[in-house]
Amino acid sequence: MSPESTPSQRLADMRQAAEEQWRELHEPEIPVIYVGNATCGRAAGSQETIASFEESLAEKGLEARLVKVGCLGHCYAEPLVIIHYPGYPPLMYQKVGAGEARVLVNSFLKDGSDPCFEYLFGALEPNDTFPTLMDYPRYLFEKRVIMEHCGLIDPASLDHYLAVGGYQGLAKALEAGSRRVVQEIKDAHLRGRGGAGFPTGIKWEIAANASRHPKVVICNGDEGDPGAYMDRTLMESNPHQVLEGLIIAALAIGASRALLYIRAEYPLAVETIQQAIDAARERGLLGADILGSGFGLEVEVFQGSGAFVCGEETALIQSIQGNRGMPQYRPPYPAVAGLDGLPTVINNVKTLSTVPVIMRRGSNWFKQIGTENTPGTAIFSVVGDVEYPGLVEVPMGVTLEHLITEVCGGIKDGKPFKAVQIGGPSGGCLPASELRTPIDFDSLRQAGAMMGSGGMVVMNDEACMVEVARYFVDFTQNESCGKCTFCRVGTRHLLAILQEITKGEGSEEDLEELQVLSESIIQGSLCSLGKTAPNPVLTTLRFFRDEYLAHVREKRCPALMCRELIAYYIDLEACARGCDACVACCPTEAIFTTSNRKKAIDQEKCVKCGECVYACPPEYDAVRKVSPPEMIPDQGIEPLAETEEEDEK
Amino acid sequence: MSDDMVVLTVDGLEIKVPRGTKLLQACLDNGIYIPNLCYLEGMERPPSSCRLCLVEIEGRPGPVPSCSLEVENGMVVHTSTDALRRLQQTAFRLLVSTNSGKCSLCMANKRCEMQRIAKFLHMPLRTKRLRHIPKDMPRIIEEHPCIDYESNKCVLCGRCIYVCGRQEDAPFHLDFAGRGFNTVISFFGSELPGVAEYCRDCGACIAACPVGALSYREDRQRFLQQLERNKASRARK
C-alpha cells in the first residue's frame, strides 16, 4: 500500500481479502449453515438451535461452517436457518428448533440426500427444483434498501460487510469532500426516519455552516416505542452500515466527535456496535486518519437508561450531559447549539443506515424509489393480528392496504380488519376507510396518524377502540418527563376520562372534554411527546365515535373487551350435561351446577377473566360473552339441590 | 435609534426595549402582564414549562412561549386573543386540578402567584370542569431535615431548582424526581448525610416558590397552630 493512495484504492486492497472469504462461503466446499441470531432469533430459541447443530454435527463427525447472522425481519418464521449445501442453491428453513436442527443434520447435511421439504421455506436463488422466496408476496413486494444485507451477513465480520460493498460510500465521500456530500444528501431528498421527516441534508448544512467548533454527530438509537424494533435489528444485523453512515455524517458537517446513543435495554446491539467500532478502528476506518484521507473521527457508545422521552433530541442531549432527560425549548436547534452548546446533528439509525447506500449508488438511483416528496423506503415493524408479523421494508407511497393485506398476508384467521395504529404510542388509529392512504410522512399526518419511527399495530374486530386509546394514553402519560403542564397534567386527565368511559361511567360531555383537552395539549405542549400524545384519542373519536357513544349511552362495549361492561354466561342449550371442564379453570369458583346438571356462572363471583371460554370444549362452545351485562338471558337457572349434589359425589 | 434598542408592537402598543431582552420581560417591564410561573428575571434559557406565557406573533405559526423568545425589531405581538386565553385557562385549570383549592388554609394565601393569575384569567381556584386528581403520594413530603414539601400545591415550575443551582459554594442542589404526573421536587433523601451536609438552609428555594409548596417546617407548624387558635376563638364567639 503506497502512502499516497486514495481512500478508494486503500479500500479496494482491503476488499480483496474480504471477497476471497466471501467466495469461500458462497461457492462452498463444505456445507454452510446460517442461523439468525439477533435478539428476536434468540428469543425464539436460536441459541438452542445452534447448540443442537454443533452437537449433531460432532456426533456424526460432519464438517460444516456455522455462521451466526443477524435478522431478516421475518419474526413469524424464527428461528430462521439458511443451509447452503454444495450442489444445492442456498435453502431457507423456518421455525428450526433444536429438534428440527437434529433432523436437518441427520437427513440433509449427512449426505445431501433429503433436503427436508417439510421445514423448507424457499430457495434464495432461482432454480428448477425448489420454490424461491420471490414466490412469496412478502419477498416479492418488499424493497430492501436499508435492510438489504440484514440476516445474510455476519454482523461480527467487517469482511462480510466489505464484500457486499461496505464502506465504498465512505471512500467516495472522503474523496468528494464535505460540501459535495451534503449536496448529494440534499439532492436525494432524504428525510429523517426518526419520525418528523425533516430533510437530513438541510440539517447537515445548518450544522456544517455553524461557526462553532468542534462539532458533534449523534446516532439516535433510543428506540422506545413499544412494539418497534427496526433500529435494534439494524444495529444487531448490520452494525457497520450504521457506523459508515455516522462517519459520513461526521465528515459532512466536519465533526470530530461521534456518539451512538443506544438504550441499555438493547445489550446485544450495544455489544455488536462496540465490536464493529473496534474492528473499524483496527482497519483504519475510524481513528485519526480514516483511509489515509486525513479526516479523523472517534466514535463512542452512550447507553441511555430507559426513558421514552430521551428519544426526543433535546432530552437526549440532556441525558448525555448527565442531566435529567427533559426536553428543552427549541430554538436554538441542536444543529446550532446542541451537546455542550456545540453544533450537533442527531440522526436516527435508519437515516444513517440509508446514507451509505445513497453515497454508493447516487442520489438519482435513490430518488427512483418511493415518492417525489419522500424518496426511499420505509421500515415498519408490523405487529398484531396479521398473518406474517415482522419487519417490512417497502417503498414509500405504497398504500396501507397493500402493506397489510398483500405483504403481511392479511388478518390472522380470516377475521375482519378493524383498525391500524401507526407511528408508535402517539400515532393515530385508522379504520378500513383510510386504508388507501399512501405511506409517506405527509399523507399519514394528513390522515391523523404519523410515520413515527414505524411501529404498526394491526387490529381485528375484537379490539375496543376506547380501550386502545386508553392503553396508549396510559403509556405516554407514564413516560411524560413531567416538565410542561399540558403533557404532565393534561394527559393524566385524558387517561382519567378514558378510564371512566371504559368502566361505563362516562358521559357525552366527557367526549367533548376529550376533544377540547386533546386539542389544547397538542397546541400547548413543549415537545413532540405532548404534541402527539393525544393522536390516538383524536383519531378514535373521529373514526370510531359510535363505539364511544355505545360506551357512554348504552354502557355497552361493542367489541366485548371492556371488563366492566361485559358478562359471561353459559348457554344451557349448548352446555353438555355432566361436563365440568370449565369448573376447574375458574379462579373464583364462580361456576356451579344447575338443577339439570349443566353449568352456570355466579355473576357475583365472576371476575370476567374469560378462562372458561378457553376451557369449554370446542364441540360445545357454550360460554357466551355479552355487553352490557344486563343482556344475559333468563334461562330459568336453579342450582342443583344440595342433597342431590352430595348424592352425585 | 440606537442599535442596541429594539422597537416592537405588543397588543397595538409600541414599546422600545434593549436588544436581547426576552419578550416576556419586555412586556412585564412595560406594564403588560402575561401570566407566568416558571420564569425568573435573568434566566438564560427559561424552562418554558408552565405554558402560561404563550403569545401569538404575526407571521409565525402557533402560540409561542414569550419567556424563551428574544425581542426583534418590528415584531407584532398579541397577548390576549381568545385562542390564547382559552389555552391559558386550560393550562391554569390543569395546574389547579391537583390541589384542593382551600386557600385560607395555605401559608401563601394572598401572596400566591396562582391567585393573581386566577384573578387575571377570571378563573376559580378550584376546577369544576375537570376532575380533582391529587398526586399519587403523600400530601406532605418531609424528606428534608427542616423543609416541608407539599406535593399537590407544587406547580413544578422549577424556580426552586434554578435558584438552588445558583447558590454559591453549595454543591448540593434540588432537582426533579419521578416521572409523568407524579413528578416532584426532591431533596434526594434526608436519611442520607448529603442533605444535611450540603444544604445550607439558605431558604432561597422557599422564597422563590410562587405557590408556597415549600416551607420551613417550623413556620408551617406555627401557622397551623395559629389556624387552630383562630378556629377555636371563632367557635367561642
Side-chain angles (χ1 to χ4, degrees), chain B residues 176-221:
Chain B
F176 293 108
R179 237 187 232 189
F181 183 68
N182 287 326
T183 305
V184 286
I185 303 298
S186 178
F187 293 96
F188 292 103
S190 59
E191 71 276 14
L192 303 173
V195 173
E197 249 169 64
Y198 292 136
C199 178
R200 296 173 301 133
D201 302 338
C202 68
C205 54
I206 296 170
C209 182
V211 294
L214 289 169
S215 51
Y216 280 120
R217 188 164 305 134
E218 233 172 75
D219 291 350
R220 212 175 75 82
Q221 262 145 20

Side-chain angles (χ1 to χ4, degrees), chain B:
Chain B
M1 189 182 67
S2 84
D3 264 1
D4 28 293
M5 292 303 272
V6 169
V7 178
L8 62 154
T9 316
V10 182
D11 295 336
L13 193 79
E14 209 165 84
I15 61 171
K16 196 171 164 188
V17 290
R19 189 177 295 278
T21 313
K22 302 281 190 221
L23 179 56
L24 175 63
Q25 192 63 51
C27 292
L28 295 176
D29 290 346
N30 284 276
I32 303 162
Y33 179 68
I34 302 172
N36 66 89
L37 280 173
C38 63
Y39 174 80
L40 281 175
E41 199 173 345
M43 277 182 171
E44 206 173 303
R45 278 192 86 169
S48 49
S49 63
C50 72
R51 317 308 283 172
L52 285 168
C53 72
L54 298 171
V55 294
E56 282 170 14
I57 291 168
E58 280 185 19
R60 292 198 198 185
V64 283
S66 57
C67 62
S68 293
L69 215 61
E70 275 185 20
V71 288
E72 279 169 34
N73 243 333
M75 222 178 207
V76 182
V77 185
H78 300 281
T79 73
S80 57
T81 63
D82 288 349
L84 282 175
R85 283 289 176 261
R86 267 199 302 278
L87 216 50
Q88 287 168 330
Q89 285 170 346
T90 307
F92 183 83
R93 219 179 269 132
L94 291 171
L95 284 174
V96 294
S97 72
T98 63
N99 199 9
S100 64
K102 287 175 190 146
C103 291
S104 57
L105 304 181
C106 175
M107 276 174 84
N109 193 12
K110 295 193 176 122
R111 54 176 177 86
C112 173
E113 198 64 29
M114 290 298 274
Q115 287 176 324
R116 177 179 183 190
I117 296 170
K119 208 180 249 174
F120 182 80
L121 292 175
H122 307 295
M123 294 289 290
L125 276 149
R126 201 184 312 189
T127 169
K128 285 175 205 124
R129 194 158 136 195
L130 290 173
R131 289 146 184 77
H132 166 56
I133 307 181
K135 286 179 191 165
D136 187 17
M137 62 185 64
R139 199 166 55 81
I140 295 157
I141 297 173
E142 300 176 340
E143 201 183 29
H144 190 276
C146 60
I147 297 175
D148 281 349
Y149 171 64
E150 291 177 75
S151 57
N152 287 322
K153 280 184 193 168
C154 178
V155 290
L156 273 310
C157 66
R159 280 193 198 179
C160 50
I161 296 170
Y162 174 77
V163 294
C164 185
R166 289 170 66 87
Q167 294 305 309
E168 269 173 43
D169 18 284
F172 165 84
H173 70 92
L174 273 167
D175 209 343
F176 293 108
R179 237 187 232 189
F181 183 68
N182 287 326
T183 305
V184 286
I185 303 298
S186 178
F187 293 96
F188 292 103
S190 59
E191 71 276 14
L192 303 173
V195 173
E197 249 169 64
Y198 292 136
C199 178
R200 296 173 301 133
D201 302 338
C202 68
C205 54
I206 296 170
C209 182
V211 294
L214 289 169
S215 51
Y216 280 120
R217 188 164 305 134
E218 233 172 75
D219 291 350
R220 212 175 75 82
Q221 262 145 20
R222 212 173 301 133
F223 172 76
L224 290 177
Q225 282 160 9
Q226 186 61 46
L227 275 185
E228 280 300 312
R229 274 199 296 277
N230 292 352
K231 209 170 141 193
S233 70
R234 265 203 307 277
R236 265 198 304 278
K237 280 173 198 169

Side-chain angles (χ1 to χ4, degrees), chain A residues 29-238:
Chain A
E29 279 163 14
I30 57 166
V32 185
I33 308 165
Y34 302 85
V35 185
N37 197 35
T39 299
C40 39
R42 290 186 185 190
S46 67
Q47 301 277 55
E48 288 81 9
T49 305
I50 292 170
S52 170
F53 267 122
E54 279 168 350
E55 202 176 296
S56 312
L57 287 167
E59 264 172 38
K60 292 265 178 272
L62 293 171
E63 236 192 307
R65 284 183 64 173
L66 254 171
V67 183
K68 294 171 192 167
V69 292
C71 169
L72 271 167
H74 292 249
C75 307
Y76 58 92
E78 295 283 359
L80 266 172
V81 170
I82 299 170
I83 296 182
H84 197 169
Y85 194 89
Y88 281 94
L91 297 173
M92 192 203 264
Y93 295 88
Q94 59 174 341
K95 297 186 179 160
V96 182
E100 285 84 1
R102 188 166 283 275
V103 175
L104 279 167
V105 171
N106 292 342
S107 318
F108 185 30
L109 293 167
K110 182 187 62 183
D111 52 5
S113 57
D114 172 16
C116 298
F117 278 93
E118 61 272 38
Y119 310 131
L120 185 70
F121 192 78
L124 266 60
E125 289 163 10
N127 64 90
D128 297 333
T129 326
F130 304 96
T132 65
L133 297 181
M134 283 303 160
D135 295 328
Y136 296 94
R138 176 67 181 264
Y139 285 85
L140 188 63
F141 292 126
E142 269 197 67
K143 171 80 191 168
R144 296 219 160 181
V145 171
I146 309 174
M147 289 179 60
E148 192 182 353
H149 306 296
C150 286
L152 300 171
I153 59 170
D154 182 354
S157 163
L158 173 55
D159 283 326
H160 281 197
Y161 184 58
L162 287 173
V164 295
Y167 288 104
Q168 279 181 15
L170 173 64
K172 261 193 181 175
L174 286 168
E175 281 157 23
S178 158
R179 198 174 296 267
R180 277 168 60 196
V181 173
V182 173
Q183 195 54 46
E184 190 74 22
I185 298 299
K186 270 175 80 180
D187 288 345
H189 294 308
L190 174 64
R191 297 175 68 172
R193 297 304 200 249
F198 189 79
T200 306
I202 294 180
K203 199 189 253 187
W204 288 10
E205 195 171 44
I206 296 170
N209 290 339
S211 51
R212 281 197 72 178
H213 285 275
K215 295 172 186 174
V216 189
V217 279
I218 299 172
C219 170
N220 184 349
D222 187 61
E223 188 175 43
D225 288 8
Y229 47 95
M230 50 289 260
D231 292 354
R232 186 193 72 206
T233 298
L234 285 170
M235 290 187 283
E236 287 176 359
S237 306
N238 199 351

